[in-house]
Each structure stands twice: as structure tokens, then as C-alpha cells.
Amino acid sequence: LTHRASYRLGVERVESGTRMNSLFNELIVGIKHIRAFGSQTCWMERLNEASRKYSVIFVRDASLMALPRTILETLVLTVLAGALLAARLKHPAEMRSLLPLAGTFAAALIKLLPSISALSRMRIEIASALPDLEGIHRSLMVELKRPPEPARRRFARLERGITLKGVRFDYPGRADVLRGVDLEIPAGTT
């Protein structure tokens, strides 16, 4: 049960993390476009939704990681209490002589409990990391294809130079950024 839940949570974490990364990349690369087209509100809504989903997954992940320790502690305490109760009911006269043995057993269990809990937690962490590892494996197994070599043409020289006349550029719904730009670069100049 915990293996499947951990794996499923790992898949959700990969998807959510990928979404957050793509939104941050979109912001870093396209901040000018986001502002130029006035899409800050839409972009912020998408970022907030992705962040909320990521936070929910983080809380679920933390809860799942704490679960083995809680269950294990409850189980150990229940077993100890049950053993003491059974010993008292079966051998009431010998209870005093059994207490040191039960105390030693309880101390050993309490000493081992963190290690056993850590092993269980590691198993859950490994299961939740499997989707990341599978993604890496898929990426490594994809055979990279080289683009075909472009046909090589020798560029002998620029005979007439470069001329631009009446260049105009604007963003939709905004004033022209460039208007009537003329540029002439004669051949042989740099």
C-alpha cells in the first residue's frame, strides 16, 4: 500500500515540479513578452495554481514520510502493553520476576525503533523517487539523432551591401517601437 502511494505521489511530484519549472522558465525567458502583452494576471494565476498544487503534494509527502514512524511506535507500544497484560493474566504470581525481562525487552525495542523507522522511511523515499529515475532512464535511452548536415554553399562576397528602407516594428495595441528606419551598410565594411 505505501509503495503504491509513494510511487503515485512521486509521479505527482514530478509532474508538478515540471509544471513549476516550465512556468519559471517562461517568466525568465519571456518577462518582456508577458509585460508587453499585458498577461501578468493570467500568468500569475497559472503560477499560483501550480504553486498550490505543489504545496499540497509537499504536505502529502511529509505526512506519508511520518506515517511509518507513527504506525511503528503505536504497534510497538500496543505489543508491549499486550505482552504485559497477557503475562499478568497468565502468571500473576510471577509478574514481579517478569518485569525486569519485560523492561529490558522494551528498552531494546525503543532503542531499535528509530533504526527500523528509518529503514521504512527510506523504502518510501526510494519508491517516491522511482518516477524521477524512470524519467532519467527514458531520457538516457532516447537515441540522439543528429540533424542532417546542411548543404554548404560558399559565400564568396557581398557585392552590393545591405540596405533596409522604411523598417517598422510594434507590439499589438501599442505605439510603434520602430518607424521609418533606414539603414545602409556598404559592401566591404564591418
Side-chain angles (χ1 to χ4, degrees):
L1 177 68
T2 56
H3 177 74
R4 273 185 268 146
S6 300
Y7 184 83
R8 206 170 35 248
L9 190 62
V11 169
E12 290 175 13
R13 189 176 41 235
V14 168
E15 290 170 354
S16 180
T18 302
R19 180 73 179 133
M20 289 289 287
N21 286 340
S22 68
L23 284 170
F24 282 125
N25 286 337
E26 187 178 300
L27 171 67
I28 291 167
V29 173
I31 188 72
K32 290 178 185 174
H33 297 296
I34 291 170
R35 295 194 78 205
F37 295 115
S39 60
Q40 297 99 314
T41 305
C42 176
W43 187 86
M44 283 303 295
E45 287 171 359
R46 289 174 40 218
L47 179 64
N48 287 337
E49 178 62 20
S51 180
R52 186 193 64 74
K53 286 181 181 177
Y54 192 80
S55 297
V56 166
I57 290 170
F58 178 80
V59 168
R60 284 184 20 213
D61 193 28
S63 300
L64 187 63
M65 291 299 172
L67 193 61
R69 182 180 180 139
T70 307
I71 289 173
L72 196 56
E73 287 173 351
T74 305
L75 183 65
V76 165
L77 290 175
T78 304
V79 167
L80 281 174
L84 285 174
L85 186 61
R88 177 156 169 91
L89 291 174
K90 275 196 156 190
H91 310 286
E94 298 168 7
M95 187 61 185
R96 280 196 179 154
S97 64
L98 288 176
L99 277 178
L101 181 63
T104 305
F105 181 69
L109 273 177
I110 289 172
K111 188 77 171 163
L112 288 173
L113 191 61
S115 299
I116 295 169
S117 178
L119 287 173
S120 182
R121 181 182 173 152
M122 283 183 218
R123 181 180 173 275
I124 290 173
E125 286 178 4
I126 289 170
S128 67
L130 282 176
D132 285 323
L133 297 173
E134 289 171 348
I136 292 168
H137 177 66
R138 277 192 303 273
S139 297
L140 292 174
M141 297 317 296
V142 170
E143 191 171 319
L144 297 177
K145 295 179 183 174
R146 288 186 169 208
E149 289 288 325
R152 295 191 180 221
R153 275 185 25 194
R154 193 152 190 101
F155 188 76
R157 65 187 197 113
L158 188 61
E159 293 182 20
R160 286 182 262 169
I162 298 173
T163 304
L164 303 172
K165 290 187 180 180
V167 174
R168 182 180 162 277
F169 177 79
D170 69 353
Y171 289 104
R174 296 184 58 189
D176 287 346
V177 177
L178 298 174
R179 182 184 313 162
V181 174
D182 293 333
L183 176 68
E184 187 168 329
I185 302 172
T189 59
T190 55

